Every structure is written in structure tokens, then in C-alpha cells.
Amino acid sequence: MKILVTVKRVPDPDMKVRVNAEGTGIVEDNMKFVINPFDEIAVEEGLRIKEKKGEGEVVIVAIGPSVVQEQIRAALAMGADRGIHVDVDSYPDPLNTAKLLKAVAEKEAPNIVIMGKQAVDDDYGQAGQMLAAMLGWAQATFAYKVEIADDNSKATVTREVDGGLETIEIDLPAVVTADLRLNEPRYASLPGIMKAKTKPMDVFKPADLGVELSPVLELVRMEEPPPRKGGIIVETVDELLDKLRNEAKVI
Amino acid sequence: MFELQEGHRMIETAMRQFLEKEVVPLIDDLEEGKVLPYDIMRKMAETFGLTEMIKARFQKMLKKEGKKSEEEESEAGAFGGPGFDPLIGTIIGKEIARVYPSLGLAMGATLGLAGGTIMAKGTPAQKERWGLPILTFEKIGAWGMTEPESGSDAFALKTTAKPDGDYYILNGQKTFCTNAPYADIFVIYAKIDRGQEAKRDKRFIFPFVVERGTPGLSVSEPFKKMGMKGSPTGAVYLDDVRVHKSHLLGETEESARDQAKDVFAGERTGAPAMAWGIIERCLEVTVKYATERKQWDRPIGEFQLIQEKIARMYVHLENVRNIAFKHAWAQKEGKKITMKEACAAKLYCARAATECALEAIQALGGYGYMKEYRVEMLMRDAKLLQIGGGTDEIQILNIAKELLRAEGLEVKLGG
């Protein structure tokens, strides 16, 4: 069983993010970066599948500048077997991400690709679906539970849908995206961390994978949400109506 | 050398997540003694693979007593240099102290003091019998040195071990002993009582291992303390406790005996890591509060008196970090830290931790005085660093003594 798991480097969601003065991105000084939390769940699921099967390989792939190797090693420290770093200067848009991942998936020929359902930095939530479509594979998004058939031919995936759960069966190979409640990721153990640096990591440029990046999306501007103002207590219904009509202009 | 490597940061991150999730919700219960710290240590050891790592190393070590295996070196080398990496322990200690110093103290006492003494002094059989269960947290250790009438003057201790054939009979009392109320294995320091010859042995004290349940051994209830409340402290009573000579660490009196300077070294080593954690946390809380709390429509961070506190705390943080890095470096390189260096480091770290915690409370005002932000707890906990493992005053005397001795003036403590 070969399991390909994608990880993205994102700012620590527990830290305060500030937009830079030019509005072109965030201030990265003193920022801590982590594996996208949904991707961490994907790594955990990959490891659990391998452990349950008693055999297999968990391969981590990340796209971005050389610093993303830190996130690959963090996944290796959790127990994954080897890493693939697709070396590009900046983080591509979802379509180009999917193109690069398609090339990696074709090269690696995994039984399953597991991804986070979205990255918490840009919140697109598109790459998994696009990848499955490009590969012509089945997809099961927002996974809540994943079970692999004994012969690795099928997977039964329970998905989180509006107001309930939906269980589907898909043929493998397939792309599965992890939702929040799929599992609770393990902590990297000390021996795991020590071994992480000695595990193999391949580095490819897009050209090595036969991919030419063609951006389809341009970041025009980033801005911070307006600061929250404190609430007020109105005296009468008339005053409320007046404020809604004339200040908030919502009615 | 003066920065954390990637592997260190991974440990830091993993430890922080674990502690936030597993310890923070329990702090109130731990403070009130409703929950003991030992199961948390066990869970931590299990979660981070410490138990399997320690067991594997232990087996290797027993096979090649005294020699470092090459495999061990290459494994630890993943952290940016060859050989064992003492900074790992510092980071773990620092992360614990950020959240709950009591846990670090209780852990340090079992692992570092009791376990460390057995591993340093014990024969291979003693290490296997008592050291390994402590290192894997299967058993909890306590280290008994201080007595009701001897603290700083540790060698005035009155506990005696009287030879009786293949046995020793221990009598005496220990106090302020971390983990004593619940420990399974006690390392007890005593003088050998030979009647007439007693004078000769005065300079030396000897560590004995006594197991819980040995007739004549009893412990007190946990003491009520100012801080470090989650770390149970108590007294140990030895009333004609008869132990076989195989309980004398090292088994011969020649190899077991300890001199003053050996004894407190272990107690001091935890101070930089603990101070680092306390200061880092206090600074973080203060900076955050200073940007959020407003008076006269301005964040209080705009007031220079608050800025002064922040800057001072940062200076302490830098110094304490550098001390911790230096100690880790020295340990890794096998360089010796002199008595005055170790005392200066402990003195500085302890004072800095208390000062920063007090400043954090002051910066937070009424909120700092409440339990919510935990800075009042960190202040009560930090204060112990100025007392345990040698008081500030003893560190000062030791520093001066060593400096003066270099110029030929021999100062005797206590006249």
C-alpha cells in the first residue's frame, strides 16, 4: 500500500497574522510556520492506514521554496517514510498545485492520495478536487472515516455533509481529503524527530516533472478585516430600527 | 550553538501542544493536590517515545559500560552536531516550566536527582534494579539530603548508617524532600556510624537506596507550601531501617562517598531551563497584555514604565537563554563548568525568574494578582529557585570563596 500525503506550509493558526504595508502578503518576521492542520490530519490517516495494513509506505509531498522541507521533516518525524519536495519560488494557485501533484502522483503511482480538505492560509479548498479530476480518479472529500478494502481495490469513506454523514465506496486509486474530525494527529516522538533528518527526501523542479507553471490567478491585494467595535445597548425598538436603517443601512 | 536547531524546534512544538492539552486543564486540580503529577509524566514519556528510547539506550549502556556507542552518536547527530545533545533536556524542562513548573520539579527530582544519582554512582546491577524503573517512570524516586537541622550546611547531616555484618542500619530524618509522600525508591544520604572511628568519616556522606515498604521507613503527608504546589514535598523518617550492603550505591564505601561539591551540582542543573521557561512565559503574557489593555484610550504598552518592564524581562530572557546554551555546550563538549560559574548561573537565573514574574504581575495589575493569567503562580514557583538546590546566599558565598581562594585567601564557611 503506497500512500501519498500532501502537506502545505502555513502560518501557525494560533498566531496573529498581519498584512504587510504593501498589501501583497503577510509579515513573515517572527512568524512560526507549521503543517496545515488539515494536512496533519491527512498524515495521521496515512500512518494509521499503513499501521493497520501492517505494510506500506507513506510518502510526503510539499510544494514551495526550500523552507517547506521543514514541514516535510515534521511529517517524517511523525512517522512517514520519505519526502518529495517540489521546489518552486512561491506557492502556486490551486490549479497549478494540482498540476504539480498530478505529475508526482503519476511518478509515484500511489494507491491513495490523502490531502487536507483545504489550507488554512488561503482557504481555497480546490486542489484535491482538481487533482482527482486531472488524474481521472475517484474522489472522496471531507472525509470523516476511511476504510481500505483488504485487497486495496476499494475504499469506504464516510463524509461530512450538511446535517449528517454520507458513506460512499470508491475505487482505488483515489484522492481523499481530510476533514477536521477524521482523527487526532499524534505528536512526533523524540526518536521520530531524531530519525527525521536521515530519511530520504527527493527534490524536483517543475521542469523535472515535465510541468510548466502557468498561473491563472493573480493576488491583487490583501487587507486585514476592520477591527471589531464594541456593541451598544439600545433603549427602544424605535432606536434600533433607526440605527439599522440609517447607520448600518441594512433595512 | 546559540540557537535552537530544527529538531529542537520540533520538540518544542510537540511538547507545547502536549502540555497545553494535557496539563493546562489540570492545573487547578494539581495545585490543590487532587491530581498527582506522576501519571502526567508517564503519559508524556509514553507519548514522546521516551520510555522505549531510554530502555534501548540502557541496554546498550549496560553492554558497553562506560563507552559511548557509535550508533548512539550518529542518531543524536541529527540535531546538527555529533554526540549526545543535552539541549533536548533543557528544552523539555523549559517547555514544562512555561506551563507548570511544579511538574518540572517533581520530574527533575525523580529523574535527575534520584535517577541521576543511581545512574552516576550505582553498579550495573543497581542501575538495572532501581535506575531503569525510575528512568522509565514505572517507579518514582525521591532524593533525601536536607534534614530538619541541616540545609545549606548539608554535611552536618545527622542521619547515620551503622554497619552490621552485610547490612547497614539507617536512622535519621529527611525533610523538604520532593516526591517523598508518594515515592517508591528513596536515595538517602547518611554518614557511616563506626563509633570510635566516626571522626574520620566526617567529610563524607554516602547515598543509600531504600525502597518504600522497608520496615522502619515512613513518610509524612505532603507539606503545605507557598508555591510548587503540584510537586509533593514531605519528610522521610528512618527508624532502624535495615538494608543489605547492596543498597549502598556503588557497593563499596570507597566509591560511594560524596564530597560537598559533587552533591549540589545535580540540583543546580535544572535552574536555567526552569528560569528560561518562566521568564519566556511571563514576557509573552506581558507583551500581549500591553498591546490589548487600554487606559486613556491607549494600549498600556505605549507607556514607558510598561516598556521598561518588557525590556528588562527581555534582557533577562536573553541572559538566561545564553546561560542554558552555554551549559548545554559545555556538557556536550565534555568541558567542565567551574563551581563559581555554576553558582553564578544558578544565582542569576533564580533571581531573574522571580523578578520577571513579579514584574509580570505588576504589569498586569489586578489581573496579574488573580489566578487567571498564572503569573502569580509562576512568581510563587520561581521563588523556590532562590532557595532549593542551594540558596542565593550560598551561591554568593561559593562564588566569593572560589575567587578569593585563587588569590590565596581560604575562606571557611561557618567559621
Side-chain angles (χ1 to χ4, degrees):
Chain A
M1 183 89 192
K2 189 193 258 191
I3 303 154
L4 187 67
V5 181
T6 62
V7 301
K8 185 176 181 187
R9 175 183 171 92
V10 299
D12 186 340
D14 291 335
M15 288 181 85
K16 203 170 169 183
V17 175
R18 282 183 299 133
V19 173
N20 64 22
E22 303 79 37
T24 54
I26 62 160
V27 179
E28 296 198 358
D29 296 347
N30 296 320
M31 210 55 205
K32 204 175 142 199
F33 288 86
V34 297
I35 297 179
N36 171 41
F38 291 112
D39 295 345
E40 209 172 14
I41 295 170
V43 174
E44 176 66 32
E45 196 61 22
L47 295 173
R48 287 190 191 185
I49 291 171
K50 179 187 160 180
E51 283 159 5
K52 203 170 167 192
K53 290 267 168 199
E55 57 87 26
E57 187 184 27
V58 177
V59 183
I60 304 296
V61 54
I63 301 169
S66 59
V67 282
V68 305
Q69 291 190 4
E70 280 181 26
Q71 277 61 47
I72 296 177
R73 276 191 292 272
L76 297 178
M78 286 172 72
D81 299 288
R82 66 186 166 88
I84 296 171
H85 168 211
V86 180
D87 188 6
V88 291
D89 294 337
S90 59
Y91 300 94
D93 57 52
L95 185 66
N96 284 285
T97 299
K99 273 192 201 172
L100 290 167
L101 291 177
K102 174 177 181 267
V104 173
E106 281 169 345
K107 194 175 163 67
E108 288 288 330
N111 298 78
I112 189 168
V113 178
I114 311 180
M115 304 169 66
K117 69 167 181 175
Q118 73 197 78
V120 298
D121 53 353
D122 54 29
D123 269 348
Y124 287 125
Q126 300 174 3
Q129 291 87 330
M130 287 175 173
L131 173 63
M134 284 178 184
L135 287 165
W137 293 0
Q139 58 173 288
T141 50
F142 314 119
Y144 171 80
K145 191 176 170 194
V146 178
E147 278 174 309
I148 310 288
D150 287 340
D151 64 356
N152 297 346
S153 68
K154 284 181 190 319
T156 308
V157 181
T158 304
R159 309 175 56 231
E160 293 197 24
V161 294
D162 278 347
L165 298 172
E166 175 193 77
T167 302
I168 58 170
E169 192 180 78
I170 50 171
D171 289 328
L172 294 183
V175 177
V176 171
T177 70
D179 213 324
L180 188 64
R181 284 160 285 271
L182 178 59
N183 60 50
E184 204 178 310
R186 69 194 65 188
Y187 302 104
S189 73
L190 242 58
I193 291 170
M194 290 184 178
K195 278 181 211 138
K197 251 195 177 168
T198 59
K199 288 181 177 174
M201 174 145 26
D202 291 318
V203 183
F204 299 111
K205 293 272 183 192
D208 303 331
L209 298 166
V211 177
E212 201 177 322
L213 294 179
S214 47
V216 293
L217 197 149
E218 188 194 345
L219 177 73
V220 181
R221 192 176 66 251
M222 273 180 121
E223 51 193 83
E224 287 180 19
R228 260 186 72 145
K229 288 184 190 142
I232 53 163
I233 293 173
V234 293
E235 295 289 330
T236 63
V237 174
D238 286 341
E239 192 190 341
L240 174 66
L241 286 172
D242 176 64
K243 287 205 184 290
L244 288 176
R245 205 169 274 136
N246 299 318
E247 263 182 46
K249 295 190 167 75
V250 290
I251 52 172
Chain B
M1 178 173 118
F2 285 101
E3 62 180 7
L4 297 184
Q5 305 292 321
E6 187 183 329
H8 297 134
R9 281 186 278 117
M10 276 190 210
I11 295 172
E12 192 181 64
T13 305
M15 285 297 301
R16 194 166 301 182
Q17 287 170 345
F18 174 87
L19 292 161
E20 289 289 337
K21 184 160 166 275
E22 304 288 340
V23 179
V24 168
L26 294 177
I27 290 180
D28 283 334
D29 285 344
L30 281 156
E31 284 288 280
E32 287 166 29
K34 289 181 192 159
V35 171
L36 295 177
Y38 308 113
D39 282 342
I40 299 173
M41 294 176 201
R42 292 183 177 117
K43 191 163 185 186
M44 191 189 290
E46 212 52 58
T47 305
F48 292 102
L50 300 179
T51 316
E52 58 172 299
M53 200 166 83
I54 287 165
K55 274 187 184 157
R57 290 216 165 161
F58 195 85
Q59 295 310 331
K60 258 189 241 168
M61 192 203 65
L62 279 188
K63 267 185 221 152
K64 313 179 179 182
E65 184 70 28
K67 260 193 285 176
K68 253 190 197 167
S69 76
E70 281 184 16
E71 199 182 326
E72 192 180 326
E73 292 198 1
S74 69
E75 194 184 294
F79 285 94
F84 165 73
D85 186 354
L87 208 46
I88 296 173
T90 307
I91 293 163
I92 295 175
K94 185 259 289 191
E95 283 302 314
I96 294 173
R98 278 175 56 96
V99 171
Y100 196 53
S102 290
L103 178 63
L105 183 67
M107 240 173 117
T110 178
L111 210 56
L113 294 181
T117 305
I118 294 169
M119 297 311 285
K121 289 263 162 196
T123 63
Q126 289 173 328
K127 287 177 189 172
E128 185 144 26
R129 183 171 173 192
W130 296 302
L132 187 59
I134 287 180
L135 297 188
T136 58
F137 296 101
E138 190 191 314
K139 298 269 171 69
I140 298 301
W143 185 83
M145 168 71 73
T146 299
E147 299 186 355
E149 289 174 49
S150 71
S152 298
D153 187 8
F155 281 67
L157 62 79
K158 291 200 169 74
T159 298
T160 55
K162 194 171 184 171
D164 178 23
D166 281 347
Y167 289 81
Y168 287 95
I169 296 167
L170 301 175
N171 275 293
Q173 184 183 340
K174 298 289 172 186
T175 193
F176 305 142
C177 179
T178 303
N179 296 333
Y182 304 102
D184 307 295
I185 294 168
F186 297 80
V187 174
I188 299 290
Y189 283 85
K191 287 186 173 170
I192 305 286
D193 175 7
R194 270 189 250 284
Q196 289 297 322
E197 298 166 66
K199 266 191 175 171
R200 270 192 67 80
D201 285 326
K202 241 187 179 167
R203 287 173 302 133
F204 301 113
I205 54 176
F206 298 81
F208 289 87
V209 174
V210 185
E211 290 174 53
R212 190 179 197 87
T214 308
L217 177 87
S218 56
V219 295
S220 74
E221 290 284 301
F223 293 162
K224 297 196 189 312
K225 305 194 293 284
M226 169 186 179
M228 293 289 188
K229 293 186 181 203
S231 162
T233 309
V236 184
Y237 309 101
L238 301 128
D239 192 7
D240 283 335
V241 175
R242 194 175 151 86
V243 292
H244 188 257
K245 65 180 184 192
S246 63
H247 286 240
L248 172 62
L249 282 178
E251 280 199 24
T252 65
E253 289 178 11
E254 194 65 17
S255 67
R257 69 185 191 185
D258 259 317
Q259 286 185 324
K261 62 175 162 37
D262 306 326
V263 173
F264 292 109
E267 259 194 301
R268 273 191 305 257
T269 49
M274 202 169 294
W276 180 356
I278 291 171
I279 295 169
E280 192 179 84
R281 181 58 160 241
C282 287
L283 180 60
E284 260 174 38
V285 170
T286 306
V287 168
K288 189 158 186 287
Y289 187 84
T291 59
E292 288 169 357
R293 169 78 168 175
K294 284 186 180 161
Q295 293 292 283
W296 294 283
D297 290 330
R298 297 157 69 190
I300 60 165
E302 288 186 15
F303 301 123
Q304 290 183 343
L305 286 172
I306 298 293
Q307 292 174 6
E308 194 259 2
K309 293 187 196 308
I310 291 172
R312 275 175 81 89
M313 287 161 82
Y314 179 69
V315 172
H316 282 314
L317 177 65
E318 276 290 298
N319 288 338
V320 167
R321 267 168 55 103
N322 288 342
I323 287 170
F325 279 125
K326 179 184 169 179
H327 282 202
W329 166 80
Q331 210 179 329
K332 188 171 168 181
E333 299 291 313
K335 293 211 188 329
K336 218 172 140 57
I337 294 266
T338 63
M339 180 78 150
K340 63 177 184 290
E341 280 177 308
C343 291
K346 201 247 169 194
L347 173 70
Y348 183 86
C349 290
R351 284 184 166 179
T354 307
E355 185 189 322
C356 289
L358 279 165
E359 289 284 54
I361 296 171
Q362 194 64 24
L364 268 65
Y367 289 103
Y369 200 70
M370 299 297 118
K371 285 198 184 296
E372 188 187 346
Y373 285 87
R374 300 285 179 209
V375 285
E376 63 83 33
M377 175 189 82
L378 293 178
M379 183 274 281
R380 289 183 285 108
D381 292 349
K383 188 65 195 169
L384 176 81
L385 299 182
Q386 292 185 268
I387 297 167
T391 58
D392 281 4
E393 290 71 16
I394 285 298
Q395 311 305 337
I396 293 167
L397 293 180
N398 278 333
I399 294 166
K401 188 175 152 186
E402 202 167 300
L403 289 169
L404 292 167
R405 181 192 289 149
E407 286 300 316
L409 177 64
E410 199 66 45
V411 182
K412 273 204 171 141
L413 296 184

